[in-house]
Amino acid sequence: MGTRDDGKPDRRHLQRRTEAEVIDAVRELEKQRDSGKVKKPGRAWTVEKWLTHWFENIAAPSVRHKAANAYRTAVYRHLIPNLGAHRVDRIEPEHFEKLYAKMLTSGLKAGTAHQVHRTARTAFGEALRRGHTVRNPVELAKPPRLEEAEIEPFEADEIGQLLVTALSWRNGVRFVLALTLGTRQGETIGLKWSRLDRKHKALRIAKQLQRQTWKHGCDNPHKCGAKYHKANPCKEDCKRHQRKPCPPPCPPDCMSHARWCPKRHGGGLVEVDVKSHAGKRGIVLPDRLYDLLIAHEEKQAKERELAGSEWHEGDWMFAQPNGKPLDPRRDLDEWKALLEEAGVREARLHDARHTAATVLLVLGVPERAVMEFMGWSNTAMAKRYQHITGALRRDIADRLNGYLWES
């Protein structure tokens, strides 16, 4: 069957009940050998063993924090509890499709099932490359239909209402940046004064601020979180988890609950690099926006003087009254309050980025310049973020009317 890792010939020995079964098994091995997809010798891993190894030793150390969190949820909350006992070389596409259907029936969204599907496809793709299986069953599985919600960027009058309201708020310039420059949440709250080029009135985007999950620093994570383990499932009339499905009980060897570990580390607000190389960019500010930032700096200087020794110097452009950085959760709450006070429809904070990209489309800015301004690495992002607004549709209709009927 080829060569083992130690260089010796890889010979397989088969035993079956009948000669016909032996012949079939030999032919299957020959097919694997001839196709170059030879399963490793020895007993196959279970899905639980492989996914645990893949996440802990292959995926988690090589991806960003948010991606690792998404993988962790898919593996430990959905894949292992439902499919963990299967052998990695015998699990079928239908097993995954049944899992997706079960998730939807339980009230989970199609997007969650898609995240589980993408995680499983990546994990089993690695199992295929390493010879633990001769195919990737997830490639054949069909995830549920996923319909992306149509995003309606803010119209010009809505942008005006938001800007006026934001400028009456403490740290309100933070939302002005989101609406005009399209900076991501982590990029905006992670801005520092040292990255403002006053000579050229430019802003350098290089880092972002994230809230990361705490990690255990003790020798026995399972014992450390003992009193926080969930032993039994929630009751049918559970009132605690109303916005999302009840989480399953903790596994027997649960090592979560690190936020209560006395020796916890690596969590809290952490400054990290932006998402991609293209995300590191410099933006020349409109004069009006630059003046707003300088005025905001003067207000912050008065807050620093008032706080005195309680001020935490971190050079943050947008900070709490004591100088500490803004918390992403609190920042989202303020965005929702801003929408309500401005009398503007409900929308995600990330929709401000879609709005900024759409404004560039309306202004006729060349695509290459838009990519650099927004920090995109490919043109596909323009199609995803730039939208046709109601005003733009009206303008198209007026132009057609003038060209066809008023000439």
Side-chain angles (χ1 to χ4, degrees), residues 348-381:
R348 304 173 308 163
L349 176 54
H350 199 66
D351 289 348
R353 181 166 169 80
H354 285 262
T355 298
T358 301
V359 169
L360 297 178
L361 171 67
V362 173
L363 295 176
V365 179
E367 189 175 79
R368 182 68 186 86
V370 173
M371 287 177 59
E372 183 175 335
F373 188 90
M374 299 297 295
W376 296 332
S377 57
N378 58 70
T379 56
M381 298 301 289

Side-chain angles (χ1 to χ4, degrees), residues 41-167:
R43 184 170 180 81
W45 289 22
T46 63
V47 169
E48 179 178 8
K49 181 180 179 182
W50 167 249
L51 287 178
T52 302
H53 172 78
W54 170 79
F55 175 75
E56 300 293 345
N57 302 296
I58 301 173
S62 62
V63 298
R64 290 178 175 270
H65 176 76
K66 285 190 175 181
N69 275 349
Y71 282 159
R72 181 184 292 106
T73 300
V75 167
Y76 292 112
R77 184 173 294 180
H78 301 292
L79 290 168
I80 288 179
N82 290 283
L83 303 175
H86 287 281
R87 277 178 44 168
V88 75
D89 61 336
R90 290 186 179 178
I91 193 167
E92 298 292 336
E94 292 76 15
H95 292 125
F96 293 94
E97 291 163 348
K98 289 179 181 178
L99 170 59
Y100 306 151
K102 179 181 177 182
M103 293 174 65
L104 295 180
T105 303
S106 70
L108 293 173
K109 295 181 179 179
T112 305
H114 264 263
Q115 175 60 37
V116 171
H117 175 75
R118 291 192 297 270
T119 301
R121 185 176 59 197
T122 303
F124 277 82
E126 191 64 39
L128 173 61
R129 284 188 290 274
R130 297 184 180 220
H132 293 290
T133 180
V134 296
R135 64 166 184 162
N136 184 348
V138 194
E139 290 286 357
L140 300 175
K142 298 291 184 183
R145 183 179 178 181
L146 182 63
E147 294 185 3
E148 291 190 15
E150 181 61 30
I151 296 172
E152 286 289 338
F154 295 117
E155 297 285 357
D157 59 329
E158 293 176 314
I159 298 174
Q161 290 172 249
L162 288 169
L163 293 179
V164 170
T165 306
L167 290 177

